[in-house]
Amino acid sequence: VVLSTSVGVFSSTHSCWWRRRKGASFHVSAISYKKFIGFALNEAKRQTHLVPSPLQEQFNSMISVDGKAELQMLSFQAPKIRLLRSMSIETEVMQVLDFAVFPEPEFDVPIFCANCFSTSSTNIVVLDLNPLHDVIGRRDYKDRYYKSLMPLGLKYVELLPWGGKLTSESLKFFSPIVLWTRFSPSQDRFDILYSAFMDYYKAWFELIKQAVGETDASQIMSNREAQHRYLTWRAEKDPGHRMLTKLIGERSSKELLRNFLFNGINELGSRTFLDYFPEYCCEDGTINEKRSIIGKSFENRPWDKRGEFIG
Ligand code: BLA
């Protein structure tokens, strides 16, 4: 498909990048995550009162070092929602969506997480309501948020099969309904993915709508620390880092990760990556650059149909 017309998904303050490059036309594959973002913003506006985040001014769009890609950032906040943010990247050869919603620390509601990476040969996807607390050790937490969502999860688990071995450490950030999948490009699979994205997103809004804010200071502290630990993990070890660094260089990539994508690292806590994950400490006190210390595992889905961990 040759895209030479302008397609407006966002409001006028967030102009589409190809519109600004006058006269240019781009080959893009049939896959675009724009409609995911369009749906998510419309749905959020239907559900709550979204206002632009103060981050929007600083993180709006960036051009890659080679001039071939633009990164498009959007960020909002709302009652109960500390940050709803999106980053999308579209080039001639790849499409990326990193979409997340983080609750305020008064809520122990999971974190909405959609990460999709697509090229002409593969799609790599993680779609989940990432648990804030340990779902293997804390049954009360697991039952509260995931018991009623198991049927939804199972529906998509069958349509989007397990993506195979992954960084073992990641697993404790995933829920029993996580969709971790890889597939070669196909319109059918892409349609299923879009449908899963909409359903998981709506399910997340249902959870936050029903959630009652915690008033106990120690509970709030515990939620804050759990979110900080999650952010610290992803800002340091997310699989997208290498690609981001390649696109915009090491300094900008670090800044994007720490101040935008995983914003909250500087505000929600003061512990360091090595405080949370001491097994990554090298002899000289630096952080081991490996993504995984344990290695990759979980060839198959490590939860059964009832959401019991069987890994
Ligand atoms: C691969 N992305 C992956 C993998 C996972 C995730 C599990 C498989 C590799 C692995 O085992 O680590 C995603 N991992 C997650 C998520 C969490 C986690 C969401 O722990 C949350 C807790 N992916 C992106 C972005 C890019 C990207 C923004 O989200 C690019 C800009 C790329 N992801 C990307 C690429 C791969 C990948 C290129 C394959 C390369 C690899 O396997 O390392």
Side-chain angles (χ1 to χ4, degrees):
V1 182
V2 177
L3 238 187
S4 55
T5 55
S6 63
V7 182
V9 173
F10 309 119
S11 63
S12 56
T13 47
H14 311 301
S15 61
C16 291
W17 61 279
W18 51 75
R19 205 184 285 161
R20 268 179 282 121
R21 297 196 183 174
K22 263 201 176 142
S25 62
F26 294 88
H27 291 271
V28 295
S29 82
I31 281 184
S32 167
Y33 290 108
K34 296 258 186 270
K35 72 171 180 182
F36 288 55
I37 301 169
F39 167 81
L41 296 189
N42 283 334
E43 181 65 17
K45 282 175 191 160
R46 220 171 57 79
Q47 297 275 1
T48 184
H49 182 65
L50 269 197
V51 297
S53 155
L55 292 174
Q56 188 65 55
E57 239 171 79
Q58 191 190 347
F59 297 97
N60 188 353
S61 83
M62 284 170 90
I63 306 285
S64 63
V65 177
D66 67 7
K68 288 187 181 163
E70 181 166 316
L71 294 76
Q72 186 88 49
M73 278 74 73
L74 291 168
S75 55
F76 300 87
Q77 53 197 34
K80 299 185 175 178
I81 296 177
R82 183 176 70 78
L83 176 64
L84 180 155
R85 57 83 177 148
S86 158
M87 176 184 72
S88 57
I89 308 171
E90 282 193 16
T91 74
E92 283 177 38
V93 293
M94 78 175 181
Q95 299 78 36
V96 177
L97 174 68
D98 183 340
F99 196 105
V101 194
F102 301 98
E104 292 281 6
E106 282 76 14
F107 302 89
D108 68 357
V109 167
I111 292 162
F112 179 83
C113 161
N115 283 74
C116 311
F117 172 85
S118 304
T119 64
S120 58
S121 58
T122 188
N123 293 275
I124 300 177
V125 174
V126 173
L127 176 61
D128 193 21
L129 311 187
N130 288 155
L132 198 60
H133 298 294
D134 172 14
V135 279
I136 296 166
R138 279 190 49 186
R139 176 164 293 271
D140 61 317
Y141 184 80
K142 184 171 86 173
D143 285 352
R144 181 141 44 99
Y145 289 119
Y146 299 103
K147 206 172 183 176
S148 63
L149 291 174
M150 283 314 293
L152 175 67
L154 288 178
K155 170 181 162 190
Y156 286 110
V157 158
E158 279 163 23
L159 297 168
L160 298 167
W162 186 250
K165 284 190 178 180
L166 77 167
T167 303
S168 310
E169 284 86 348
S170 289
L171 213 75
K172 50 184 181 291
F173 299 101
F174 292 172
S175 84
I177 62 162
V178 66
L179 299 175
W180 150 241
T181 190
R182 294 170 186 261
F183 54 89
S184 29
S186 105
Q187 191 61 46
D188 281 357
R189 284 276 169 89
F190 192 69
D191 291 344
I192 294 169
L193 177 62
Y194 182 49
S195 164
F197 177 85
M198 293 191 287
D199 282 351
Y200 274 48
Y201 191 73
K202 286 188 277 190
W204 186 86
F205 265 98
E206 214 37 58
L207 296 184
I208 196 83
K209 203 161 87 187
Q210 284 168 21
V212 178
E214 191 58 69
T215 51
D216 182 89
S218 74
Q219 286 304 322
I220 297 174
M221 200 55 207
S222 148
N223 294 341
R224 190 188 302 271
E225 169 143 313
Q227 203 173 130
H228 188 250
R229 183 172 180 277
Y230 175 93
L231 295 166
T232 303
W233 168 257
R234 295 202 59 189
E236 192 67 42
K237 295 294 177 193
D238 217 50
H241 288 193
R242 263 184 54 199
M243 188 66 69
L244 275 182
T245 304
K246 224 166 93 183
L247 286 171
I248 57 175
E250 194 167 341
R251 247 190 48 200
S252 302
S253 147
K254 269 224 163 86
E255 155 136 339
L256 187 66
L257 285 159
R258 295 190 64 88
N259 296 335
F260 180 76
L261 292 174
F262 305 112
N263 173 281
I265 279 200
N266 301 327
E267 295 80 22
L268 294 182
S270 53
R271 296 180 75 189
T272 65
F273 181 84
L274 290 175
D275 291 336
Y276 291 123
F277 309 101
E279 64 278 19
Y280 280 83
C281 191
C282 294
E283 271 175 21
D284 63 0
T286 58
I287 299 172
N288 196 322
E289 286 193 4
K290 280 200 225 160
R291 282 245 310 285
S292 177
I293 297 296
I294 314 174
K296 292 206 174 198
S297 40
F298 309 110
E299 184 76 55
N300 299 300
R301 188 175 185 85
W303 288 277
D304 70 11
K305 295 199 162 152
R306 290 176 303 137
E308 298 292 329
F309 189 71
I310 50 168

